[in-house]
C-alpha cells in the first residue's frame, strides 16, 4: 500500500491524479501482485524457501530504493515513446508504461513473498490454520500502516522520494 500511494504521488506531476491514473496504478499493482502470488507458490515448493524469501524481500527493497533515482527518466522515456507512437494516448499510455517500468517488478516480488512466507511459517498441518490466520492478520495490519504512514506522515514530512527509501528500509527489518 505504501508503494501504491507513493506511486500516485510520484507520477502526479507528470500525469495528474485523475481516476484514470489511479485505475492504472491500482490495476498494474494488482496484476503484478497476482502474478507474484502464482510465481511465489511455485518458488515456495522448491528447496530453500526461506533463503528465497529473504532474497525476494531484499531485491524488492533495492528496486523501491532506486525508484527516486531512475523514476523521472523512466517516465520521460515512456512519455517520449508514447508521444512518438501514439500522441492521442499520451496520458493513458505514458502512465501505463511508466507504472509498468517502475512498479510492476517490486509488486511482483512482494506478491511472491506471501506464498514463500506461508511455506516457511507452516511447519505442520496441526496449526497451519492459526499460523496462516496470523500471517494474513499481520499482512492486513501492514496494509493499514502502509496506507496511513505515507498519506499522513512520511510524504508530508519528508517527501515522496524519501518515503520510498523509508519503505525500502522497513522491508529489511
Amino acid at each position: 500500500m505504501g508503494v501504491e500511494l507513493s506511486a500516485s504521488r510520484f507520477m502526479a506531476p507528470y500525469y495528474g491524479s485523475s481516476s484514470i491514473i489511479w485505475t492504472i496504478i491500482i490495476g498494474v499493482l494488482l496484476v503484478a501482485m497476482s502474478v507474484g502470488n502464482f510465481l511465489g507458490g511455485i518458488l515456495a515448493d522448491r528447496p530453500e524457501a526461506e533463503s528465497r524469501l529473504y532474497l525476494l524481500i531484499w531485491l524488492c527493497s533495492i528496486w523501491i530504493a532506486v525508484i527516486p533515482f531512475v523514476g523521472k527518466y523512466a517516465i520521460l522515456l515512456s512519455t517520449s515513446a508514447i508521444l512518438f507512437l501514439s500522441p492521442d494516448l499520451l496520458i493513458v499510455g505514458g502512465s501505463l508504461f511508466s507504472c509498468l517500468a517502475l512498479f510492476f517488478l517490486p509488486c511482483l516480488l512482494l506478491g511472491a513473498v506471501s506464498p514463500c512466507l506461508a511455506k516457511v511459517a507452516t511447519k505442520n498441518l496441526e496449526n497451519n490454520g492459526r499460523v496462516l490466520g496470523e500471517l494474513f492478520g499481520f499482512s492486513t495490519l501492514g496494509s493499514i500502516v502502509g496506507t496511513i504512514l505515507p498519506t499522513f506522515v512520511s510524504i508530508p514530512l519528508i517527501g515522496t522520494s524519501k518515503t520510498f527509501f523509508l519503505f525500502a528500509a522497513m522491508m529489511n527489518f
Side-chain angles (χ1 to χ4, degrees), residues 71-95:
K72 63 183 173 187
Y73 302 109
I75 290 171
L76 179 62
L77 185 61
S78 297
T79 304
S80 299
I82 292 298
L83 190 58
F84 178 74
L85 296 172
S86 181
D88 295 340
L89 297 175
L90 182 60
I91 298 297
V92 173
S95 62

Side-chain angles (χ1 to χ4, degrees), residues 73-143:
Y73 302 109
I75 290 171
L76 179 62
L77 185 61
S78 297
T79 304
S80 299
I82 292 298
L83 190 58
F84 178 74
L85 296 172
S86 181
D88 295 340
L89 297 175
L90 182 60
I91 298 297
V92 173
S95 62
L96 176 62
F97 285 120
S98 296
C99 194
L100 285 168
L102 293 171
F103 305 110
F104 189 86
L105 183 63
C107 289
L108 181 136
L109 294 170
L110 282 174
V113 163
S114 297
C116 291
L117 186 57
K119 178 75 169 200
V120 169
T122 55
K123 301 295 183 198
N124 63 55
L125 294 178
E126 289 182 24
N127 68 351
N128 67 343
R130 180 186 56 78
V131 170
L132 291 175
E134 290 173 0
L135 286 176
F136 293 148
F138 283 118
S139 174
T140 303
L141 288 174
S143 293

